[in-house]
mmCIF file of all heavy atoms in Angstrom:
data_model
loop_
_atom_site.group_PDB
_atom_site.id
_atom_site.type_symbol
_atom_site.label_atom_id
_atom_site.label_comp_id
_atom_site.label_asym_id
_atom_site.label_seq_id
_atom_site.Cartn_x
_atom_site.Cartn_y
_atom_site.Cartn_z
ATOM 1 N N ALA B 119 44.652 67.871 49.714
ATOM 2 C CA ALA B 119 44.553 67.483 48.309
ATOM 3 C C ALA B 119 43.803 68.547 47.503
ATOM 4 O O ALA B 119 42.950 69.207 48.065
ATOM 5 C CB ALA B 119 43.778 66.120 48.167
ATOM 6 N N ARG B 120 44.272 68.696 46.267
ATOM 7 C CA ARG B 120 43.605 69.643 45.336
ATOM 8 C C ARG B 120 42.756 68.850 44.367
ATOM 9 O O ARG B 120 43.301 67.882 43.740
ATOM 10 C CB ARG B 120 44.697 70.341 44.492
ATOM 11 C CG ARG B 120 45.070 71.724 44.961
ATOM 12 C CD ARG B 120 45.940 72.423 43.929
ATOM 13 N NE ARG B 120 47.156 71.667 43.648
ATOM 14 C CZ ARG B 120 48.340 71.907 44.282
ATOM 15 N NH1 ARG B 120 48.427 72.913 45.156
ATOM 16 N NH2 ARG B 120 49.419 71.252 43.976
ATOM 17 N N MET B 121 41.503 69.226 44.203
ATOM 18 C CA MET B 121 40.663 68.594 43.210
ATOM 19 C C MET B 121 41.193 68.987 41.829
ATOM 20 O O MET B 121 41.521 70.142 41.577
ATOM 21 C CB MET B 121 39.227 68.948 43.412
ATOM 22 C CG MET B 121 38.656 68.378 44.708
ATOM 23 S SD MET B 121 36.957 68.960 45.086
ATOM 24 C CE MET B 121 36.056 68.066 43.754
ATOM 25 N N LEU B 122 41.189 68.044 40.891
ATOM 26 C CA LEU B 122 41.653 68.289 39.567
ATOM 27 C C LEU B 122 40.547 68.917 38.698
ATOM 28 O O LEU B 122 40.855 69.520 37.635
ATOM 29 C CB LEU B 122 42.181 66.980 38.889
ATOM 30 C CG LEU B 122 43.345 66.344 39.671
ATOM 31 C CD1 LEU B 122 43.775 65.070 38.986
ATOM 32 C CD2 LEU B 122 44.503 67.275 39.795
ATOM 33 N N SER B 123 39.326 68.810 39.148
ATOM 34 C CA SER B 123 38.174 69.474 38.499
ATOM 35 C C SER B 123 37.086 69.560 39.521
ATOM 36 O O SER B 123 37.150 68.838 40.577
ATOM 37 C CB SER B 123 37.713 68.621 37.302
ATOM 38 O OG SER B 123 36.972 67.508 37.717
ATOM 39 N N PRO B 124 36.044 70.400 39.303
ATOM 40 C CA PRO B 124 34.980 70.472 40.333
ATOM 41 C C PRO B 124 33.969 69.368 40.153
ATOM 42 O O PRO B 124 32.798 69.543 40.576
ATOM 43 C CB PRO B 124 34.439 71.845 40.103
ATOM 44 C CG PRO B 124 34.670 72.093 38.636
ATOM 45 C CD PRO B 124 35.898 71.353 38.249
ATOM 46 N N GLU B 125 34.334 68.244 39.636
ATOM 47 C CA GLU B 125 33.374 67.154 39.439
ATOM 48 C C GLU B 125 33.435 66.176 40.559
ATOM 49 O O GLU B 125 34.518 65.809 41.042
ATOM 50 C CB GLU B 125 33.736 66.425 38.155
ATOM 51 C CG GLU B 125 33.461 67.249 36.889
ATOM 52 C CD GLU B 125 34.156 66.670 35.676
ATOM 53 O OE1 GLU B 125 33.546 65.723 35.078
ATOM 54 O OE2 GLU B 125 35.286 67.136 35.373
ATOM 55 N N TYR B 126 32.266 65.739 41.009
ATOM 56 C CA TYR B 126 32.165 64.753 42.131
ATOM 57 C C TYR B 126 30.776 64.114 42.049
ATOM 58 O O TYR B 126 29.891 64.655 41.354
ATOM 59 C CB TYR B 126 32.431 65.447 43.442
ATOM 60 C CG TYR B 126 31.478 66.562 43.718
ATOM 61 C CD1 TYR B 126 30.181 66.393 44.242
ATOM 62 C CD2 TYR B 126 31.924 67.886 43.465
ATOM 63 C CE1 TYR B 126 29.366 67.469 44.445
ATOM 64 C CE2 TYR B 126 31.075 68.955 43.654
ATOM 65 C CZ TYR B 126 29.801 68.768 44.172
ATOM 66 O OH TYR B 126 28.964 69.815 44.382
ATOM 67 N N ALA B 127 30.621 63.032 42.802
ATOM 68 C CA ALA B 127 29.311 62.329 42.845
ATOM 69 C C ALA B 127 29.383 61.400 44.009
ATOM 70 O O ALA B 127 30.474 61.035 44.477
ATOM 71 C CB ALA B 127 29.078 61.574 41.535
ATOM 72 N N ALA B 128 28.234 60.992 44.471
ATOM 73 C CA ALA B 128 28.212 60.058 45.630
ATOM 74 C C ALA B 128 28.575 58.673 45.211
ATOM 75 O O ALA B 128 28.059 58.103 44.237
ATOM 76 C CB ALA B 128 26.797 60.054 46.226
ATOM 77 N N GLY B 129 29.587 58.097 45.881
ATOM 78 C CA GLY B 129 29.930 56.719 45.693
ATOM 79 C C GLY B 129 28.993 55.840 46.541
ATOM 80 O O GLY B 129 28.056 56.336 47.221
ATOM 81 N N PRO B 130 29.144 54.531 46.439
ATOM 82 C CA PRO B 130 28.203 53.626 47.105
ATOM 83 C C PRO B 130 28.115 53.787 48.604
ATOM 84 O O PRO B 130 27.093 53.411 49.245
ATOM 85 C CB PRO B 130 28.684 52.225 46.761
ATOM 86 C CG PRO B 130 30.067 52.416 46.173
ATOM 87 C CD PRO B 130 30.158 53.826 45.682
ATOM 88 N N GLU B 131 29.131 54.365 49.259
ATOM 89 C CA GLU B 131 29.105 54.526 50.711
ATOM 90 C C GLU B 131 28.659 55.918 51.170
ATOM 91 O O GLU B 131 28.718 56.245 52.297
ATOM 92 C CB GLU B 131 30.488 54.202 51.290
ATOM 93 C CG GLU B 131 30.918 52.792 51.027
ATOM 94 C CD GLU B 131 32.324 52.501 51.576
ATOM 95 O OE1 GLU B 131 32.936 53.395 52.195
ATOM 96 O OE2 GLU B 131 32.773 51.375 51.358
ATOM 97 N N SER B 132 28.196 56.725 50.165
ATOM 98 C CA SER B 132 27.852 58.112 50.471
ATOM 99 C C SER B 132 26.409 58.393 50.022
ATOM 100 O O SER B 132 25.963 58.005 48.926
ATOM 101 C CB SER B 132 28.736 59.107 49.758
ATOM 102 O OG SER B 132 30.099 58.789 49.997
ATOM 103 N N HIS B 133 25.651 59.107 50.883
ATOM 104 C CA HIS B 133 24.351 59.607 50.462
ATOM 105 C C HIS B 133 24.449 60.772 49.496
ATOM 106 O O HIS B 133 23.722 60.882 48.531
ATOM 107 C CB HIS B 133 23.491 60.097 51.693
ATOM 108 C CG HIS B 133 22.913 59.022 52.513
ATOM 109 N ND1 HIS B 133 22.167 57.982 51.964
ATOM 110 C CD2 HIS B 133 22.891 58.764 53.847
ATOM 111 C CE1 HIS B 133 21.747 57.181 52.903
ATOM 112 N NE2 HIS B 133 22.190 57.615 54.076
ATOM 113 N N GLU B 134 25.351 61.665 49.820
ATOM 114 C CA GLU B 134 25.565 62.828 48.939
ATOM 115 C C GLU B 134 26.987 63.325 49.155
ATOM 116 O O GLU B 134 27.665 63.020 50.164
ATOM 117 C CB GLU B 134 24.562 63.931 49.140
ATOM 118 C CG GLU B 134 24.569 64.454 50.525
ATOM 119 C CD GLU B 134 23.515 65.592 50.725
ATOM 120 O OE1 GLU B 134 23.426 66.497 49.865
ATOM 121 O OE2 GLU B 134 22.766 65.553 51.734
ATOM 122 N N VAL B 135 27.410 64.126 48.218
ATOM 123 C CA VAL B 135 28.757 64.739 48.259
ATOM 124 C C VAL B 135 28.523 66.194 47.939
ATOM 125 O O VAL B 135 27.664 66.563 47.141
ATOM 126 C CB VAL B 135 29.719 64.104 47.208
ATOM 127 C CG1 VAL B 135 31.065 64.792 47.257
ATOM 128 C CG2 VAL B 135 29.834 62.608 47.451
ATOM 129 N N ALA B 136 29.304 67.081 48.575
ATOM 130 C CA ALA B 136 29.133 68.503 48.326
ATOM 131 C C ALA B 136 30.441 69.240 48.466
ATOM 132 O O ALA B 136 31.337 68.849 49.226
ATOM 133 C CB ALA B 136 28.121 69.107 49.298
ATOM 134 N N LEU B 137 30.574 70.341 47.705
ATOM 135 C CA LEU B 137 31.678 71.307 47.873
ATOM 136 C C LEU B 137 31.079 72.476 48.661
ATOM 137 O O LEU B 137 30.140 73.113 48.173
ATOM 138 C CB LEU B 137 32.131 71.784 46.509
ATOM 139 C CG LEU B 137 33.306 71.006 45.834
ATOM 140 C CD1 LEU B 137 33.567 71.639 44.453
ATOM 141 C CD2 LEU B 137 34.534 70.981 46.704
ATOM 142 N N ILE B 138 31.645 72.710 49.837
ATOM 143 C CA ILE B 138 30.979 73.626 50.754
ATOM 144 C C ILE B 138 31.984 74.683 51.171
ATOM 145 O O ILE B 138 33.117 74.389 51.583
ATOM 146 C CB ILE B 138 30.473 72.851 52.012
ATOM 147 C CG1 ILE B 138 29.574 71.619 51.534
ATOM 148 C CG2 ILE B 138 29.700 73.787 52.900
ATOM 149 C CD1 ILE B 138 29.140 70.788 52.717
ATOM 150 N N GLY B 139 31.562 75.937 51.125
ATOM 151 C CA GLY B 139 32.396 77.046 51.600
ATOM 152 C C GLY B 139 32.546 77.058 53.130
ATOM 153 O O GLY B 139 31.695 76.469 53.858
ATOM 154 N N TRP B 140 33.577 77.672 53.598
ATOM 155 C CA TRP B 140 33.908 77.656 55.014
ATOM 156 C C TRP B 140 32.705 78.096 55.909
ATOM 157 O O TRP B 140 32.391 77.415 56.894
ATOM 158 C CB TRP B 140 35.086 78.585 55.300
ATOM 159 C CG TRP B 140 35.510 78.589 56.762
ATOM 160 C CD1 TRP B 140 35.172 79.552 57.670
ATOM 161 C CD2 TRP B 140 36.200 77.592 57.421
ATOM 162 N NE1 TRP B 140 35.684 79.224 58.870
ATOM 163 C CE2 TRP B 140 36.326 77.994 58.753
ATOM 164 C CE3 TRP B 140 36.828 76.345 57.034
ATOM 165 C CZ2 TRP B 140 36.989 77.263 59.735
ATOM 166 C CZ3 TRP B 140 37.455 75.611 58.000
ATOM 167 C CH2 TRP B 140 37.555 76.046 59.312
#
Side-chain angles (χ1 to χ4, degrees):
Chain B
R120 261 191 300 266
M121 294 173 69
L122 301 179
S123 77
E125 291 163 83
Y126 55 84
E131 298 179 3
S132 309
H133 281 312
E134 59 180 313
V135 180
L137 268 179
I138 308 177
W140 181 259

